[in-house]
Amino acid sequence: MMKHILKMLMVTLVVVHIYGCNPDDNVMPAGKYENGVLIINEGNFTDGDGSVSFYNPDTEDIHLKIFKEENGRPFGGLLQSVTVHNGKAYLIDNLGSKIEVVEAGSFKWETTISEDLSLPRFFAAIDNKAYVSNWGPYAPDFTSPDSYIAVIDLDNMKVIKKIDVNSAPEGIIVVGEKLFVSSQTTSEISIIDTGTDTITGTIPVGFGPTHFVTDSQGRIWVACTGGVLYAINPVTEEIAASVEIENLTGRISINQNTQSIYLLTSTWAPDYSYTENEVVTLNTGSPDEVRKIFATRNLYGLGVDSASGVIYLANSNAFLGNGTIIKINPEGTETGNFPAGRGPNGFVFR
Amino acid sequence: MNTQNTNVSVLLALLSFLCQVAAAAPGFSQDSLQTQTLQEVVIYGMPSREFITGSRQQYFDSIDVLFPASTLSDLLHTLTPVYIKEYGSYMLSTISLRGTGAGHTSTLWNGLNINSSTLGITDFSQIPAFAGDRLVLHYGGASALYGSESIGGSIIIQSEGLWTDTPLLTVYQDAGSFQTYRSRVSLRIGNSRVESSTRAYHTYSKNNFPFNNILKPGSPVERQQHTSVRQTGLLQDVYWKTGARSQFSVNTWYHHSNRQIQPTMGNTASADIQEDENLRLAVSFQNSGDWGRINAKAGYLYDFMLFNNVFNTTSNQWILQSAWSRKLTPMLKSTLGVSWKNVAVETNNYAGNVAENRWDVYLWIKYTPFRIWELALNIRQAGVPGFRIPAAPTLGSTLDLMKNNSHHFQWRLMASGNYRIPTLNDRYWNPGGNPDLKPEQSWSAESGFLWQYAHSPETTFTSDITWYNMWVDNWIIWLPQGSYWSPQNIREVRSSGLELTLSGIHHVANGTIDWNISYAFTRSVNKTSLDEYDRSAGKQLPFVPLHNVSMLVYYNLFNWKFSFSENYTGDRFITTDNEDVVDGYWLTDMKISRQVKWTKESLLVSFEIKNLLNKTYYNLPLRAMPGRNFRLGLMYNLNY
């Protein structure tokens, strides 16, 4: 039981990564899951029931557990993240320290990468090289002293290098020739040169940098759990803007058409009996104008579909039940909801 | 005799037994598996026994033959339709009685509630089936009798003196699949005035059973890693009749366990290990006279847990109990009792050390207006600083509709109000512990009908059917609150169900057949929604099977004993919305034993097959369980 509680705690430290800005999503064969929304259902730690759901916004059809449906076996782990790159989807299992690689359109299994990964989290790639943040083996007290970035050669699906980084690396993004890595337990972002795969510098930010998005000007935005949103110029490696927003969870998404950023916050109810989550938004052109557009309980992830402008919110139902996906429009009006899998934490829009 | 000398000699006897490796409990193997409603028996040290009127009880015999070195988890799974949630083979095993949670069953060892003060549960993989001489499963709420946590039911483990001049020695050893070795030595020695009972046990299992890894393409067979377990313990009881109507007893129990925690399938990162150490001590005194009967008890419970060599928890509980029972009129008996407990916990899981005093006062009244009709009204009020704990009453009735040499029809009625004090983890866990929690509260009503039929003294049939309805409110659930989890009194549950037991004894071809079929239908429904998107209201609670069946046939022919058990655990929902299910399963076990007897000695050779049909099954998702496995056992009995 104690283990259960401790690990539940670990699970809740996990936050959402949004992949709407992945630049390498280009030509791929038509497939069942080609056009729509992939929902990343993290799963509950003790049950290892991570899964992927597929939602077709046109027909409003939802397909649960598509990995199991296509491959005849459950994903069976903690599905930390899903990233689509060059026609393949990379499903990262944090619990089993492995990456299931599937053909992105059909979700048919192709291979499993399991060597040299340890509590992997998030994935970013440039051409045939991928970077995966790894917390490294837990110390007995569940801290992560041996964290690293695994460099994967996507031609032979093998880890070719480990780059030591700060404890508990989370968000990871490639911009130009640079890889940016956040560390939730620190107040800095590490920069790795993708040519040499070595750390070339750090950028000091507020406490708890978590996830990244990029805007149309090429700036990187990072949400820090200490309550500040930063814009970073990736060329000069300097902070271009910062906005204080209380109770940030680190979850962030951007509509590339409207340049609106959406963030998730978490606050206590007045009687401390539950936490309330709010969706706040700002435009990258006027970051100081922060608006709250929606509030409910048990939100665990969010993502915006740039094409339709629909914001998808993931309600975890406290991990006790399966999650619910809530759709809202940019004004914050709910336009529908539907059931997903256990602990939905984010979305991939295709 | 000089009292002081006697004291010294008893002390010496106690010490000498503590120093022995050997130990004891052969008695009570009556070769009978009958579930019975207990008749009124005064059991020393168990003052509550007379006041259980109206409730359903199940007690267990033949423990030595069927479960010579097993855990209570195995026994309950095999002999009852109660759901035991096992986190793997030899791993954490919790109970769900009448649709309630793991913390809603109290476990009393010699009158002391041994549920962990920090977790509020008992791990039945750590309790040997032979931890007492008498084992009773009390179904349903009885906080008035047993205190906090007695909502779904109670498990009562009681040690007793046999008062025989004949020394009894039992030595048991077995070897089983996956490098599993279990040993037990029991020694009981004494006379009609003083008695010592010693039991020592040791279990080791590498537990590296093969399983199909369903997460890999083609489900390859792999060996389970990181599941080895070791348990060692010593129980020492001393009984002393200090006078014609007085008795003194000391019960001690030391238990130590080391285990690797079985990870879920596919979890390659887990290297969790856990060490547990428990010391339990109960010193009891009973004296009766014209003025009634006094039971006094002093208890000490030490629980130590070390997780991953880092997270440690030490709990010390000191307990004083006293009860005065008196027959007021021939029809009216009462007991007035008070108990005090000091709980002190040191752990790096809390912000600081925690200590508190708890008081209970209770009054039990039994009224027998007619020989065939008994009524009991019991009430308990607990006091814990910072809590308003509701009074816990029970009102029970037992009416014999017919009782003669061949038939016994009995009708039971019972209503109770029960409570559970939030655990120390619920209140003090750092971060997330919620000091503002309220006690959980329940109300329940039940009615049962018993029919016992004796065709002849050797051929009997018993049936018992019980229906119940229970409400639990302020049920505590841990919910994610940003970066950590915190418990809240959020859930309201209504549980209702049916329990059916049929059993019989028959003489067949020079042997006897004992059989028992138990079935439980449990509908336990969550009434609360977390928010407007939650789909769990009106749904069955997770990990509460609707249907559970246990069946056992036991055939005794000359010196052969053959047992066959079949258990069904129904589908269990993983999620509160009932959208994901762990499939139900049937499990078959078989055991054959041959006894060789000499004048004063006997040897019992047994061969056991567990999971005879080699079923792949899951108690919890992705936690592999062993397939078909074997065990060869040898039990030596010396009866001087």
Side-chain angles (χ1 to χ4, degrees):
Chain A
M1 182 64 81
M2 181 170 83
K3 173 197 162 194
H4 180 73
I5 291 162
L6 278 167
K7 296 237 167 139
M8 286 196 301
L9 197 147
M10 293 298 131
V11 172
T12 53
L13 291 172
V14 164
V15 252
V16 176
H17 193 51
I18 300 305
Y19 306 90
C21 53
N22 197 319
D24 302 301
D25 228 341
N26 39 29
V27 195
M28 59 191 80
K32 256 169 118 172
Y33 309 112
E34 198 62 43
N35 295 301
V37 185
L38 295 174
I39 299 159
I40 304 161
N41 303 297
E42 185 175 295
N44 188 37
F45 189 94
T46 48
D47 299 326
D49 53 356
S51 67
V52 183
S53 313
F54 178 77
Y55 176 69
N56 183 331
D58 299 328
T59 62
E60 302 194 343
D61 286 342
I62 175 88
H63 300 267
L64 299 170
K65 301 189 172 94
I66 61 171
F67 181 90
K68 186 178 180 186
E69 189 175 311
E70 299 301 331
N71 301 301
R73 60 185 167 99
F75 175 77
L78 209 65
L79 180 56
Q80 194 62 59
S81 63
V82 175
T83 311
V84 176
H85 176 73
N86 285 346
K88 292 185 185 0
Y90 295 85
L91 283 59
I92 296 193
D93 173 11
N94 178 257
L95 202 59
S97 290
K98 66 179 191 294
I99 303 174
E100 298 281 15
V101 184
V102 298
E103 200 282 308
S106 64
F107 252 69
K108 295 290 184 197
W109 176 76
E110 293 194 342
T111 189
T112 304
I113 308 169
S114 55
E115 275 176 37
D116 297 317
L117 297 172
S118 180
L119 304 178
R121 311 286 296 178
F122 293 92
F123 180 104
I126 175 166
D127 302 328
N128 64 343
K129 192 149 88 171
Y131 297 87
V132 173
S133 51
N134 283 263
W135 280 11
Y138 281 129
D141 62 353
F142 295 114
T143 56
S144 304
D146 301 314
S147 297
Y148 61 94
I149 302 296
V151 186
I152 300 173
D153 176 354
L154 296 181
D155 289 333
N156 59 20
M157 297 289 179
K158 290 231 175 344
V159 174
I160 50 172
K161 187 176 180 181
K162 292 179 181 180
I163 309 166
D164 290 344
V165 291
N166 286 333
S167 174
E170 194 73 1
I172 181 167
I173 195 168
V174 175
V175 179
E177 305 284 290
K178 293 175 184 170
L179 178 78
F180 294 81
V181 180
S182 68
S183 166
Q184 278 190 304
T185 58
T186 70
S187 300
E188 61 182 36
I189 289 164
S190 306
I191 304 164
I192 290 169
D193 182 308
T194 57
T196 60
D197 289 335
T198 51
I199 294 179
T200 56
T202 58
I203 305 171
V205 289
F207 179 76
T210 306
H211 289 295
F212 301 106
V213 292
T214 52
D215 66 14
S216 58
Q217 299 173 36
R219 292 180 299 182
I220 300 169
W221 294 77
V222 59
C224 297
T225 55
V228 186
L229 173 71
Y230 292 91
I232 293 167
N233 181 327
V235 179
T236 63
E237 300 175 7
E238 282 169 355
I239 289 167
S242 66
V243 194
E244 282 188 28
I245 304 171
E246 285 187 330
N247 306 310
L248 283 180
T249 59
R251 300 151 170 90
I252 183 170
S253 185
I254 186 167
N255 183 326
Q256 290 298 351
N257 293 330
T258 63
Q259 291 297 297
S260 292
I261 286 178
Y262 297 91
L263 298 141
L264 203 57
T265 69
S266 171
T267 46
W268 284 99
D271 67 351
Y272 293 94
S273 66
Y274 60 90
T275 50
E276 178 123 313
N277 301 109
E278 286 176 342
V279 179
V280 302
T281 184
L282 57 89
N283 195 278
T284 57
S286 51
D288 291 329
E289 292 168 33
V290 179
R291 288 185 302 134
K292 294 173 185 172
I293 58 168
F294 191 79
T296 188
R297 300 184 200 174
N298 297 316
L299 293 186
Y300 193 57
L302 92 173
V304 56
D305 181 6
S306 295
S308 65
V310 174
I311 301 128
Y312 289 76
L313 306 175
N315 177 312
S316 71
N317 284 325
F319 291 83
L320 299 170
N322 283 304
T324 305
I325 306 303
I326 305 159
K327 295 196 292 182
I328 61 172
N329 65 22
E331 286 71 50
T333 308
E334 182 179 337
T335 57
N337 66 73
F338 57 89
R342 194 87 173 269
N345 73 10
F347 306 88
V348 179
F349 299 99
R350 309 200 58 218
Chain B
M1 184 189 277
N2 182 308
T3 316
Q4 207 171 356
N5 282 344
T6 317
N7 279 339
V8 169
S9 61
V10 168
L11 191 65
L12 286 173
L14 171 67
L15 285 174
S16 70
F17 283 121
L18 281 171
C19 297
Q20 285 180 28
V21 189
F28 299 102
S29 308
Q30 297 160 31
D31 287 358
S32 155
L33 305 162
Q34 300 305 295
T35 293
Q36 293 174 24
T37 299
L38 289 173
Q39 303 306 308
E40 183 184 316
V41 202
V42 176
I43 294 170
Y44 286 100
M46 252 185 108
S48 60
R49 177 54 57 82
E50 296 165 86
F51 299 90
I52 57 170
T53 302
S55 48
R56 180 175 181 229
Q57 315 258 316
Q58 187 175 3
Y59 79 93
F60 307 95
D61 300 321
S62 298
I63 291 173
D64 263 16
V65 177
L66 286 173
F67 305 96
S70 299
T71 64
L72 202 45
S73 169
D74 291 341
L75 179 141
L76 292 170
H77 181 258
T78 310
L79 295 185
T80 73
V82 163
Y83 180 54
I84 303 290
K85 187 177 177 185
E86 289 176 284
Y87 288 72
S89 175
Y90 282 102
M91 295 294 134
L92 174 65
S93 298
T94 61
I95 190 168
S96 169
L97 259 171
R98 290 192 170 175
T100 61
H104 295 133
T105 296
S106 56
T107 309
L108 285 92
W109 174 77
N110 289 310
L112 307 175
N113 186 342
I114 58 169
N115 281 1
S116 153
S117 66
T118 53
L119 292 161
I121 57 168
T122 288
D123 176 356
F124 291 100
S125 75
Q126 301 295 313
I127 309 288
F130 51 87
D133 301 303
R134 191 174 282 269
L135 179 64
V136 185
L137 173 56
H138 181 119
Y139 291 82
S143 282
L145 294 174
Y146 309 123
S148 177
E149 297 158 352
S150 313
I151 289 179
S154 303
I155 288 176
I156 293 131
I157 305 163
Q158 190 70 28
S159 311
E160 291 172 355
L162 275 183
W163 310 115
T164 166
D165 289 335
T166 315
L168 302 164
L169 171 72
T170 301
V171 181
Y172 176 81
Q173 175 67 51
D174 67 25
S177 303
F178 325 126
Q179 296 186 41
T180 305
Y181 306 97
R182 310 184 305 175
S183 330
R184 185 186 126 205
V185 181
S186 305
L187 176 66
R188 198 180 270 269
I189 193 160
N191 54 39
S192 58
R193 286 201 61 219
V194 182
E195 181 171 337
S196 159
S197 163
T198 311
R199 295 158 233 215
Y201 57 92
H202 180 260
T203 294
Y204 168 78
S205 179
K206 188 166 184 190
N207 210 12
N208 59 342
F209 52 90
F211 69 99
N212 287 96
N213 189 338
I214 58 166
L215 298 185
K216 290 189 177 169
S219 303
V221 175
E222 296 181 358
R223 284 251 168 209
Q224 182 67 50
Q225 302 291 315
H226 199 74
T227 34
S228 79
V229 294
R230 188 183 293 278
Q231 292 182 7
T232 312
L234 179 71
L235 287 135
Q236 175 62 54
D237 304 314
V238 173
Y239 307 95
W240 177 28
K241 279 186 179 163
T242 45
R245 301 170 81 179
S246 64
Q247 184 191 319
F248 180 78
S249 61
V250 179
N251 306 102
T252 46
W253 179 7
Y254 174 79
H255 177 84
H256 183 264
S257 121
N258 261 317
R259 53 184 147 167
Q260 296 176 321
I261 307 289
Q262 179 178 334
T264 48
M265 209 179 284
N267 180 348
T268 53
S270 177
D272 295 335
I273 50 170
Q274 183 175 328
E275 181 183 357
D276 288 272
E277 190 176 36
N278 311 93
L279 179 65
R280 301 171 176 118
L281 174 69
V283 180
S284 314
F285 180 71
Q286 176 175 303
N287 194 14
S288 47
D290 299 338
W291 38 270
R293 189 175 79 230
I294 288 278
N295 287 76
K297 189 186 297 284
Y300 171 66
L301 300 172
Y302 166 82
D303 300 299
F304 171 76
M305 182 165 84
L306 180 63
F307 189 77
N308 280 357
N309 290 320
V310 172
F311 299 99
N312 61 72
T313 304
T314 306
S315 164
N316 284 286
Q317 299 183 68
W318 293 93
I319 300 129
L320 291 174
Q321 297 175 351
S322 178
W324 173 40
S325 305
R326 179 156 192 167
K327 202 167 197 168
L328 300 168
T329 74
M331 290 185 293
L332 194 64
K333 281 183 199 168
S334 76
T335 293
L336 180 64
V338 58
S339 80
W340 166 85
K341 172 151 81 171
N342 178 273
V343 188
V345 170
E346 283 181 38
T347 171
N348 48 10
N349 295 318
Y350 302 168
N353 296 345
V354 170
E356 69 183 23
N357 289 307
R358 299 178 185 177
W359 287 89
D360 283 20
V361 283
Y362 54 88
L363 177 65
W364 300 334
I365 297 166
K366 181 165 164 184
Y367 180 52
T368 315
F370 306 101
R371 200 175 46 81
I372 58 163
W373 190 26
E374 285 178 1
L375 285 165
L377 172 66
N378 309 314
I379 188 158
R380 175 183 298 254
Q381 177 66 58
V384 179
F387 285 96
R388 186 176 298 163
I389 295 164
T394 64
L395 180 61
S397 158
T398 305
L399 180 64
D400 288 331
L401 301 169
M402 182 181 174
K403 194 172 186 179
N404 59 34
N405 285 342
S406 52
H407 291 282
H408 181 195
F409 289 98
Q410 190 181 64
W411 180 36
R412 302 187 305 269
L413 275 173
M414 173 89 178
S416 64
N418 310 290
Y419 66 94
R420 173 175 173 265
I421 299 165
T423 67
L424 295 180
N425 281 3
D426 289 338
R427 291 150 60 194
Y428 297 106
W429 189 269
N430 186 27
N434 181 355
D436 300 323
L437 287 172
K438 296 187 278 281
E440 297 179 335
Q441 198 175 355
S442 91
W443 290 95
S444 72
E446 66 179 270
S447 180
F449 193 79
L450 168 80
W451 174 39
Q452 287 177 318
Y453 169 65
H455 183 72
S456 68
E458 298 85 26
T459 303
T460 61
F461 170 79
T462 303
S463 77
D464 191 288
I465 186 162
T466 306
W467 164 89
Y468 64 87
N469 216 323
M470 169 161 49
W471 293 261
V472 187
D473 202 3
N474 287 326
W475 182 311
I476 294 167
I477 298 284
W478 283 70
L479 296 173
Q481 307 283 12
S483 60
Y484 53 85
W485 294 58
S486 181
Q488 304 292 340
N489 288 102
I490 202 156
R491 193 179 265 174
E492 184 190 338
V493 170
R494 180 169 165 184
S495 169
S496 54
L498 197 70
E499 291 155 350
L500 177 68
T501 297
L502 303 172
S503 62
I505 304 175
H506 306 276
H507 269 251
V508 180
N510 295 324
T512 51
I513 288 186
D514 263 81
W515 59 274
N516 183 315
I517 300 173
S518 295
Y519 167 73
F521 171 79
T522 312
R523 183 96 179 98
S524 189
V525 175
N526 170 38
K527 309 294 274 184
T528 324
S529 291
L530 296 176
D531 59 39
E532 59 186 298
Y533 303 105
D534 183 8
R535 301 183 290 282
S536 67
K539 306 278 173 65
Q540 178 86 352
L541 288 189
F543 294 103
V544 176
L546 271 181
H547 306 282
N548 250 21
V549 180
S550 77
M551 294 190 283
L552 180 69
V553 179
Y554 184 46
Y555 184 40
N556 214 334
L557 179 67
F558 301 115
N559 288 318
W560 290 91
K561 295 170 202 296
F562 176 80
S563 74
F564 180 87
S565 76
E566 185 76 42
N567 279 275
Y568 177 71
T569 301
D571 293 353
R572 285 132 299 138
F573 296 111
I574 303 170
T575 50
T576 51
D577 47 40
N578 292 185
E579 290 166 2
D580 293 310
V581 179
V582 198
D583 291 336
Y585 56 88
W586 287 94
L587 273 190
T588 312
D589 296 339
M590 218 184 76
K591 185 171 185 174
I592 185 159
S593 316
R594 171 80 164 94
Q595 191 168 36
V596 188
K597 282 181 181 162
W598 295 277
T599 325
K600 286 171 177 169
E601 294 157 285
S602 70
L603 193 65
L604 188 72
V605 186
S606 61
F607 178 68
E608 196 172 358
I609 308 174
K610 310 277 281 182
N611 192 359
L612 181 71
L613 303 176
N614 203 22
K615 285 269 180 69
T616 298
Y617 70 100
Y618 299 96
N619 214 314
L620 282 108
L622 297 180
R623 286 182 200 266
M625 296 297 285
R628 184 185 301 121
N629 62 94
F630 308 93
R631 184 180 288 150
L632 188 64
L634 265 180
M635 182 185 271
Y636 169 79
N637 273 300
L638 177 66
N639 206 332
Y640 250 94

